[in-house]
Amino acid sequence: MNTNKRLEIFTRFRAANPHPTTELAYTTPFELLIAVLLSAQSTDVGVNKATRKLYPVANTAQSILALGVDELKSAIATIGLYNTKAKNVIATCQILVDQYGGEVPHSRAALEALPGVGRKTANVVLNTAFGDPTMAVDTHIFRVSNRTGIAPGKNVDIVEQKLLRFVPKAFLHDAHHWLILHGRYTCIARKPQCWNCLIADLCDYKPKTPAPDGV
């Protein structure tokens, strides 16, 4: 895929959705961090359902520590892997209180040192909470990048580095949101909706999916 095609792809994404953002509900960097931490192997809808109950009761590192691990487990019990996630959240909150005054650090190294926080989570927080031009490569972005030819790679690290290199700079801040949404709702895993895709004519995917009968 050449530079002009990539430019046109992201121009179309921006025209269709000028201000994309995460579908996780949050109001502060801390709420975002916890929501992303809880979202591993879970849907945003499921996480939002849990945090709608949790955040009115406890939405700071200090208040979640005061809540305690058992109460936290109860609050997030509808989310997969909630036992492990609750322990990680408590441990993360303890570090935030002890080392950062309860605030979320604006540092990749500091974020990745938190329990349960990997590179993808750190990238989401850095981009969405702090405005850094990072690329959080999840399964949707990995699939879309490879299927379309925007940034093919054998693993998420390669795809991340290629996206950072290939996405036009003017679009880099919002690119990972556009790609996630595109993978979640259009370029879906089993059968991409090529007939309903705004970049189908620019995409390298050859076996385009035809429109279903009656559409």
Side-chain angles (χ1 to χ4, degrees):
M1 180 174 287
N2 61 42
T3 300
N4 289 335
K5 274 191 176 182
R6 291 191 184 96
L7 179 62
E8 179 61 21
I9 283 172
F10 287 100
T11 298
R12 291 185 191 180
F13 281 152
R14 183 166 66 184
N17 185 4
H19 304 290
T21 189
T22 178
E23 293 186 316
L24 291 169
Y26 76 99
T27 59
T28 65
F30 176 78
E31 287 186 358
L32 176 65
L33 171 63
I34 299 306
V36 179
L37 201 157
L38 295 176
S39 71
Q41 300 182 46
S42 301
T43 66
D44 288 359
V45 171
V47 172
N48 290 341
K49 182 179 179 181
T51 57
R52 273 198 299 271
K53 296 179 180 179
L54 173 64
Y55 288 161
V57 176
N59 71 336
T60 65
Q62 293 88 342
S63 58
I64 285 183
L65 284 176
L67 197 65
V69 69
D70 290 336
E71 287 296 321
L72 179 59
K73 285 181 182 180
S74 178
I76 66 171
T78 55
I79 300 175
L81 306 176
Y82 71 92
N83 282 312
T84 298
K85 290 177 181 178
K87 291 176 183 177
N88 284 336
V89 168
I90 291 293
T92 285
C93 289
Q94 191 67 62
I95 292 171
L96 294 181
V97 168
D98 291 346
Q99 298 183 22
Y100 304 104
E103 299 299 316
V104 176
H106 185 176
S107 158
R108 176 184 299 284
L111 287 168
E112 290 187 12
L114 298 172
V117 176
R119 186 174 182 85
K120 185 186 77 174
T121 296
N123 277 335
V124 173
V125 173
L126 290 169
N127 177 275
T128 306
F130 298 119
D132 292 0
T134 59
M135 192 64 61
V137 179
D138 68 351
T139 56
H140 296 301
I141 292 183
F142 184 78
R143 179 176 66 255
V144 171
S145 297
N146 276 284
R147 184 184 275 166
T148 62
I150 291 172
K154 292 182 179 180
N155 59 55
V156 295
D157 293 331
I158 292 172
V159 170
E160 178 185 340
Q161 294 309 311
K162 283 191 174 182
L163 285 169
L164 290 172
R165 190 163 75 247
F166 292 155
V167 174
K169 293 294 184 285
F171 301 95
L172 195 53
H173 176 263
D174 293 323
H176 97 265
H177 292 304
W178 285 318
L179 292 170
I180 286 173
L181 294 171
H182 191 64
R184 186 172 287 169
Y185 297 111
T186 303
C187 196
I188 55 181
R190 290 190 177 182
K191 185 178 288 187
Q193 298 178 5
C194 303
W195 50 274
N196 192 37
C197 174
L198 78 167
I199 63 165
D201 59 313
L202 302 167
C203 169
D204 288 348
Y205 184 63
K206 298 302 181 185
K208 297 288 196 293
T209 308
D213 292 341
V215 175

